[in-house]
Amino acid sequence: MDKGLFKKIDTVIREERLYAQINLMREDIMRRFGIGRHHLNDQLNTFADGMSFPQYINSIRLEVAYDLLTNHPEMTIADVAREVGFTAPNLREQFKRCYGVTPAEYRAGLVIDDD
């Protein structure tokens, strides 16, 4: 299995912010890299801890959402959701599943030390 291909796919998804496309499909990535479904699934299985394509994209979305919620308090939760390719209700559900709290609860629990 070629880890270089996975790194390329991951880099393109992150740097070109493909994850932010709410309707991003596995077929978009397959076309972009000239690979079949089986090959993409093998890449994810080997290099992304066995995640499915939707799980993999959602993990990137959640990582970016976490960063935005932490470092950009000026953004509303709806803005964060749009920025990462989720609807607000979907962000709430996915964030709670991943981190154990909703985005609003996470933000409310942030302690900012101005010292």
Side-chain angles (χ1 to χ4, degrees):
M1 193 60 46
D2 180 10
K3 187 164 189 162
L5 175 59
F6 178 76
K7 285 187 171 210
K8 262 188 221 175
I9 292 169
D10 185 71
T11 298
V12 166
I13 288 170
R14 291 172 187 275
E15 289 183 358
E16 295 184 18
R17 299 186 59 253
L18 298 180
Y19 62 82
Q21 297 174 15
I22 202 161
N23 295 320
L24 179 65
M25 303 291 290
R26 124 184 30 241
E27 290 75 14
D28 300 326
I29 300 302
M30 291 165 33
R31 255 191 315 280
R32 173 83 180 256
F33 288 92
I35 60 176
R37 177 183 284 272
H38 183 72
H39 195 105
L40 178 59
N41 289 344
D42 284 349
Q43 289 285 312
L44 293 169
N45 202 28
T46 303
F47 302 114
D49 299 324
M51 287 188 242
S52 68
F53 183 75
Q55 289 170 329
Y56 172 68
I57 294 302
N58 283 346
S59 73
I60 295 171
R61 289 173 172 164
L62 286 166
E63 179 184 316
V64 175
Y66 185 92
D67 178 66
L68 292 173
L69 289 164
T70 303
N71 297 310
H72 295 277
E74 73 283 0
M75 292 180 76
T76 67
I77 291 170
D79 290 341
V80 170
R82 272 190 301 278
E83 187 71 19
V84 301
F86 278 138
T87 62
N90 195 245
L91 173 61
R92 185 183 197 287
E93 175 187 328
Q94 296 290 331
F95 197 90
K96 179 147 184 147
R97 184 176 300 142
C98 182
Y99 298 110
V101 293
T102 67
E105 291 167 340
Y106 172 72
R107 270 216 171 139
L110 283 179
V111 177
I112 299 181
D113 188 1
D114 290 335
D115 291 345

